[in-house]
Amino acid sequence: MKGLTIRNLKFPVIPAGSTTLIPVDGDGMHMKLLVVIAPEKFRDEELFEPLAVFKKEGIAYDVVSTCVGTCIGMLGAEVDVEVEIGNVNPVPYDGIVIIGGTGAQDYLWGDPRLEKLVRAFDASGKLLAAICLSPAVLAGAGVLEGKRATVFRTPSSVSMMESGGAKLVHEHVVVDGRIVTADGPPAARKFGEAVASTLRRMMKT
């Protein structure tokens, strides 16, 4: 995939462009993540703050959505996406990170292509991560049964999580094995850090 094009970023976070070369961290590990956003109304800082962490940690990533074109965040950021989720090969990636925002409920919940992709990552023992309303995607894919997790709480999101068998906890960021969840924008930076540290731990085992 080509470099990520970002416009109209309205808060002081340095975005890290999508990479085609997989960087090597100080331990000699190659790490790459697939990041999923809604085509509109994704939550800007839930994307860009983790991406800044990934850049710092030497983790490569690609950003995809349910369709190609310009994706627009809730705060006005624009991200050009060249690959839609139905055309993603999960093999090159070490994990999947699903970004939230109100668009997650509108476009990501119940999308059979995304649920299939999540299950493929799970079957391969890879990292699964989601923030805000998007942990409900993991629940819908059936990968949260018996797992501790959190979510941005609405009646619909709580129902989805409970239906998927998740053990809901009142924490901003929750790590259960190789699954990382967070409950919203204030947790975005710590979410990114938890994803990076969990991925690093997994790569060493």
Side-chain angles (χ1 to χ4, degrees):
M1 296 185 186
K2 297 179 181 179
L4 190 67
T5 301
I6 299 167
R7 295 181 296 276
N8 299 335
L9 193 63
K10 296 182 179 179
F11 49 92
V13 175
I14 300 173
S18 176
T19 58
T20 53
L21 295 177
I22 302 176
V24 182
D25 75 352
D27 296 319
M29 294 185 293
H30 300 266
M31 298 177 289
K32 192 171 189 180
L33 294 170
L34 181 71
V35 180
V36 181
I37 60 175
E40 62 179 12
K41 297 182 180 179
F42 66 85
R43 187 70 192 197
D44 306 47
E45 63 268 56
E46 292 175 359
L47 173 63
F48 297 115
E49 292 194 19
L51 294 192
V53 172
F54 301 158
K55 180 178 181 180
K56 179 181 177 182
E57 295 294 326
I59 300 171
Y61 59 81
D62 288 317
V63 178
V64 300
S65 187
T66 56
C67 58
V68 298
T70 300
C71 301
I72 302 175
M74 295 176 67
L75 303 181
E78 298 179 359
V79 177
D80 290 340
V81 170
E82 299 176 345
V83 176
E84 58 97 359
I85 54 177
N87 293 326
V88 172
N89 176 9
V91 172
Y93 300 98
D94 300 301
I96 186 170
V97 180
I98 308 174
I99 304 305
T102 58
Q105 182 170 350
D106 296 335
Y107 295 98
L108 305 184
W109 287 16
D111 187 300
R113 301 167 300 170
L114 181 54
E115 291 182 352
K116 180 180 178 181
L117 197 58
V118 168
R119 287 192 288 269
F121 275 85
D122 184 55
S124 298
K126 297 182 177 183
L127 179 142
L128 308 174
I131 185 171
C132 191
L133 290 170
S134 288
V137 175
L138 302 183
V143 300
L144 290 186
E145 179 71 40
K147 301 295 185 180
R148 296 175 69 253
T150 190
V151 70
F152 183 84
R153 288 176 179 257
T154 68
S156 295
S157 67
V158 169
S159 176
M160 286 277 290
M161 297 292 281
E162 292 177 343
S163 295
K167 297 180 179 178
L168 273 176
V169 296
H170 287 275
E171 299 177 20
H172 294 304
V173 179
V174 177
V175 179
D176 189 332
R178 54 187 175 81
I179 299 175
V180 183
T181 54
D183 64 0
R189 175 71 58 165
K190 289 187 177 180
F191 171 70
E193 292 169 350
V195 169
S197 62
T198 300
L199 181 60
R200 190 176 299 277
R201 169 176 53 80
M202 291 173 60
M203 297 293 284
K204 289 182 178 179
T205 58

Short mmCIF file of all heavy atoms in Angstrom, two decimals, residues 93-125:
data_model
loop_
_atom_site.label_atom_id
_atom_site.label_comp_id
_atom_site.label_asym_id
_atom_site.label_seq_id
_atom_site.Cartn_x
_atom_site.Cartn_y
_atom_site.Cartn_z
N TYR A 93 0.06 -9.53 8.40
CA TYR A 93 -0.17 -8.71 9.59
C TYR A 93 -0.09 -9.53 10.88
O TYR A 93 -0.45 -10.71 10.90
CB TYR A 93 -1.53 -8.02 9.50
CG TYR A 93 -1.67 -7.13 8.29
CD1 TYR A 93 -2.32 -7.58 7.15
CD2 TYR A 93 -1.12 -5.85 8.29
CE1 TYR A 93 -2.43 -6.78 6.03
CE2 TYR A 93 -1.24 -5.04 7.16
CZ TYR A 93 -1.89 -5.50 6.04
OH TYR A 93 -2.00 -4.70 4.94
N ASP A 94 0.35 -8.86 11.93
CA ASP A 94 0.46 -9.50 13.24
C ASP A 94 -0.74 -9.23 14.13
O ASP A 94 -0.85 -9.80 15.21
CB ASP A 94 1.73 -9.00 13.95
CG ASP A 94 2.98 -9.31 13.15
OD1 ASP A 94 3.23 -10.49 12.89
OD2 ASP A 94 3.69 -8.36 12.76
N GLY A 95 -1.63 -8.36 13.69
CA GLY A 95 -2.82 -8.07 14.47
C GLY A 95 -3.73 -7.11 13.74
O GLY A 95 -3.36 -6.51 12.73
N ILE A 96 -4.94 -6.96 14.29
CA ILE A 96 -5.92 -6.04 13.73
C ILE A 96 -6.36 -5.07 14.81
O ILE A 96 -6.56 -5.45 15.97
CB ILE A 96 -7.13 -6.82 13.15
CG1 ILE A 96 -8.10 -5.88 12.44
CG2 ILE A 96 -7.83 -7.65 14.23
CD1 ILE A 96 -9.19 -6.60 11.64
N VAL A 97 -6.48 -3.79 14.45
CA VAL A 97 -6.87 -2.73 15.37
C VAL A 97 -8.08 -2.03 14.75
O VAL A 97 -7.98 -1.48 13.66
CB VAL A 97 -5.73 -1.73 15.60
CG1 VAL A 97 -6.16 -0.63 16.57
CG2 VAL A 97 -4.48 -2.44 16.12
N ILE A 98 -9.20 -2.02 15.47
CA ILE A 98 -10.43 -1.44 14.94
C ILE A 98 -10.75 -0.16 15.70
O ILE A 98 -10.92 -0.18 16.92
CB ILE A 98 -11.60 -2.44 15.04
CG1 ILE A 98 -11.20 -3.78 14.41
CG2 ILE A 98 -12.84 -1.89 14.33
CD1 ILE A 98 -12.23 -4.87 14.58
N ILE A 99 -10.83 0.93 14.97
CA ILE A 99 -11.03 2.26 15.55
C ILE A 99 -12.52 2.54 15.72
O ILE A 99 -13.35 2.09 14.93
CB ILE A 99 -10.36 3.32 14.65
CG1 ILE A 99 -8.88 2.97 14.44
CG2 ILE A 99 -10.53 4.71 15.24
CD1 ILE A 99 -8.07 2.80 15.71
N GLY A 100 -12.84 3.36 16.74
CA GLY A 100 -14.23 3.64 17.04
C GLY A 100 -14.75 4.94 16.46
O GLY A 100 -14.27 5.44 15.45
N GLY A 101 -15.71 5.53 17.16
CA GLY A 101 -16.46 6.67 16.66
C GLY A 101 -17.87 6.22 16.32
O GLY A 101 -18.16 5.01 16.20
N THR A 102 -18.78 7.17 16.14
CA THR A 102 -20.16 6.79 15.86
C THR A 102 -20.30 6.04 14.54
O THR A 102 -21.22 5.25 14.35
CB THR A 102 -21.08 8.02 15.86
OG1 THR A 102 -20.61 8.97 14.88
CG2 THR A 102 -21.11 8.69 17.22
N GLY A 103 -19.36 6.28 13.62
CA GLY A 103 -19.39 5.57 12.36
C GLY A 103 -19.15 4.08 12.51
O GLY A 103 -19.53 3.30 11.63
N ALA A 104 -18.51 3.68 13.61
CA ALA A 104 -18.26 2.25 13.82
C ALA A 104 -19.57 1.49 13.91
O ALA A 104 -19.72 0.41 13.34
CB ALA A 104 -17.43 2.05 15.08
N GLN A 105 -20.52 2.05 14.64
CA GLN A 105 -21.82 1.39 14.76
C GLN A 105 -22.55 1.37 13.42
O GLN A 105 -23.18 0.38 13.06
CB GLN A 105 -22.68 2.09 15.81
CG GLN A 105 -24.04 1.43 16.03
CD GLN A 105 -24.79 1.97 17.23
OE1 GLN A 105 -24.23 2.71 18.03
NE2 GLN A 105 -26.04 1.59 17.37
N ASP A 106 -22.44 2.45 12.66
CA ASP A 106 -23.16 2.55 11.40
C ASP A 106 -22.57 1.66 10.30
O ASP A 106 -23.31 1.11 9.48
CB ASP A 106 -23.15 3.99 10.90
CG ASP A 106 -23.91 4.94 11.83
OD1 ASP A 106 -24.80 4.46 12.55
OD2 ASP A 106 -23.59 6.14 11.83
N TYR A 107 -21.23 1.51 10.30
CA TYR A 107 -20.58 0.86 9.18
C TYR A 107 -19.83 -0.43 9.52
O TYR A 107 -19.66 -1.29 8.64
CB TYR A 107 -19.58 1.82 8.51
CG TYR A 107 -20.23 3.01 7.88
CD1 TYR A 107 -20.30 4.23 8.54
CD2 TYR A 107 -20.80 2.93 6.61
CE1 TYR A 107 -20.90 5.34 7.97
CE2 TYR A 107 -21.40 4.03 6.01
CZ TYR A 107 -21.45 5.23 6.70
OH TYR A 107 -22.05 6.33 6.12
N LEU A 108 -19.36 -0.58 10.77
CA LEU A 108 -18.52 -1.72 11.10
C LEU A 108 -19.27 -2.83 11.83
O LEU A 108 -18.97 -4.01 11.64
CB LEU A 108 -17.32 -1.27 11.94
CG LEU A 108 -16.44 -0.17 11.33
CD1 LEU A 108 -15.24 0.10 12.23
CD2 LEU A 108 -16.00 -0.52 9.92
N TRP A 109 -20.23 -2.44 12.68
CA TRP A 109 -21.00 -3.46 13.38
C TRP A 109 -21.73 -4.34 12.36
O TRP A 109 -22.41 -3.85 11.45
CB TRP A 109 -22.04 -2.83 14.29
CG TRP A 109 -21.51 -2.19 15.54
CD1 TRP A 109 -20.23 -1.82 15.80
CD2 TRP A 109 -22.28 -1.81 16.69
NE1 TRP A 109 -20.15 -1.24 17.05
CE2 TRP A 109 -21.39 -1.23 17.61
CE3 TRP A 109 -23.63 -1.91 17.00
CZ2 TRP A 109 -21.82 -0.74 18.84
CZ3 TRP A 109 -24.06 -1.43 18.23
CH2 TRP A 109 -23.17 -0.85 19.15
N GLY A 110 -21.59 -5.62 12.50
CA GLY A 110 -22.34 -6.55 11.66
C GLY A 110 -21.86 -6.70 10.24
O GLY A 110 -22.48 -7.42 9.45
N ASP A 111 -20.74 -6.06 9.89
CA ASP A 111 -20.22 -6.21 8.53
C ASP A 111 -19.62 -7.61 8.40
O ASP A 111 -18.64 -7.93 9.08
CB ASP A 111 -19.15 -5.15 8.25
CG ASP A 111 -18.69 -5.16 6.80
OD1 ASP A 111 -18.18 -6.20 6.34
OD2 ASP A 111 -18.83 -4.12 6.12
N PRO A 112 -20.18 -8.46 7.56
CA PRO A 112 -19.70 -9.85 7.48
C PRO A 112 -18.25 -9.97 7.02
O PRO A 112 -17.55 -10.90 7.42
CB PRO A 112 -20.67 -10.51 6.50
CG PRO A 112 -21.23 -9.39 5.69
CD PRO A 112 -21.29 -8.21 6.62
N ARG A 113 -17.80 -9.03 6.20
CA ARG A 113 -16.40 -9.08 5.73
C ARG A 113 -15.46 -8.82 6.89
O ARG A 113 -14.42 -9.49 7.04
CB ARG A 113 -16.18 -8.04 4.64
CG ARG A 113 -17.05 -8.20 3.40
CD ARG A 113 -16.98 -6.96 2.54
NE ARG A 113 -17.45 -5.78 3.28
CZ ARG A 113 -17.33 -4.53 2.83
NH1 ARG A 113 -16.75 -4.30 1.65
NH2 ARG A 113 -17.78 -3.52 3.54
N LEU A 114 -15.80 -7.84 7.74
CA LEU A 114 -14.94 -7.52 8.87
C LEU A 114 -14.98 -8.63 9.91
O LEU A 114 -13.94 -8.99 10.48
CB LEU A 114 -15.38 -6.19 9.47
CG LEU A 114 -14.55 -5.69 10.68
CD1 LEU A 114 -13.07 -5.64 10.34
CD2 LEU A 114 -15.06 -4.32 11.12
N GLU A 115 -16.16 -9.17 10.16
CA GLU A 115 -16.25 -10.27 11.14
C GLU A 115 -15.44 -11.47 10.66
O GLU A 115 -14.77 -12.14 11.46
CB GLU A 115 -17.71 -10.64 11.37
CG GLU A 115 -18.48 -9.55 12.11
CD GLU A 115 -19.92 -9.95 12.38
OE1 GLU A 115 -20.37 -10.99 11.85
OE2 GLU A 115 -20.61 -9.22 13.13
N LYS A 116 -15.50 -11.76 9.37
CA LYS A 116 -14.70 -12.86 8.81
C LYS A 116 -13.21 -12.59 8.99
O LYS A 116 -12.43 -13.50 9.35
CB LYS A 116 -15.02 -13.05 7.33
CG LYS A 116 -14.25 -14.16 6.66
CD LYS A 116 -14.63 -14.28 5.19
CE LYS A 116 -13.83 -15.37 4.49
NZ LYS A 116 -14.20 -15.46 3.04
N LEU A 117 -12.81 -11.34 8.77
CA LEU A 117 -11.41 -10.96 8.92
C LEU A 117 -10.96 -11.10 10.38
O LEU A 117 -9.88 -11.63 10.66
CB LEU A 117 -11.22 -9.52 8.44
CG LEU A 117 -9.81 -9.04 8.14
CD1 LEU A 117 -9.14 -9.90 7.08
CD2 LEU A 117 -9.85 -7.57 7.69
N VAL A 118 -11.80 -10.65 11.30
CA VAL A 118 -11.48 -10.78 12.73
C VAL A 118 -11.31 -12.24 13.11
O VAL A 118 -10.36 -12.61 13.82
CB VAL A 118 -12.58 -10.11 13.59
CG1 VAL A 118 -12.41 -10.50 15.06
CG2 VAL A 118 -12.53 -8.60 13.44
N ARG A 119 -12.21 -13.08 12.64
CA ARG A 119 -12.11 -14.51 12.96
C ARG A 119 -10.85 -15.13 12.37
O ARG A 119 -10.24 -16.04 12.97
CB ARG A 119 -13.36 -15.24 12.49
CG ARG A 119 -14.59 -14.94 13.35
CD ARG A 119 -15.73 -15.89 13.03
NE ARG A 119 -16.33 -15.61 11.74
CZ ARG A 119 -17.36 -14.79 11.55
NH1 ARG A 119 -17.91 -14.16 12.58
NH2 ARG A 119 -17.86 -14.59 10.34
N ALA A 120 -10.42 -14.65 11.20
CA ALA A 120 -9.19 -15.17 10.60
C ALA A 120 -7.98 -14.79 11.44
O ALA A 120 -7.08 -15.62 11.67
CB ALA A 120 -9.04 -14.62 9.17
N PHE A 121 -7.95 -13.55 11.94
CA PHE A 121 -6.86 -13.14 12.82
C PHE A 121 -6.89 -13.95 14.11
O PHE A 121 -5.84 -14.37 14.62
CB PHE A 121 -6.97 -11.64 13.13
CG PHE A 121 -6.34 -10.75 12.12
CD1 PHE A 121 -7.04 -10.35 10.98
CD2 PHE A 121 -5.04 -10.28 12.27
CE1 PHE A 121 -6.47 -9.52 10.04
CE2 PHE A 121 -4.45 -9.45 11.34
CZ PHE A 121 -5.16 -9.06 10.21
N ASP A 122 -8.07 -14.18 14.63
CA ASP A 122 -8.20 -14.94 15.87
C ASP A 122 -7.74 -16.38 15.68
O ASP A 122 -7.01 -16.93 16.53
CB ASP A 122 -9.65 -14.90 16.35
CG ASP A 122 -9.84 -15.60 17.68
OD1 ASP A 122 -9.14 -15.24 18.65
OD2 ASP A 122 -10.71 -16.49 17.76
N ALA A 123 -8.14 -16.99 14.59
CA ALA A 123 -7.76 -18.38 14.33
C ALA A 123 -6.26 -18.55 14.20
O ALA A 123 -5.72 -19.63 14.48
CB ALA A 123 -8.46 -18.88 13.06
N SER A 124 -5.57 -17.48 13.78
CA SER A 124 -4.11 -17.53 13.64
C SER A 124 -3.39 -17.11 14.90
O SER A 124 -2.15 -17.00 14.91
CB SER A 124 -3.68 -16.62 12.47
OG SER A 124 -4.24 -17.08 11.25
N GLY A 125 -4.14 -16.84 15.97
CA GLY A 125 -3.52 -16.46 17.24
C GLY A 125 -2.91 -15.08 17.23
O GLY A 125 -1.96 -14.83 17.98
#
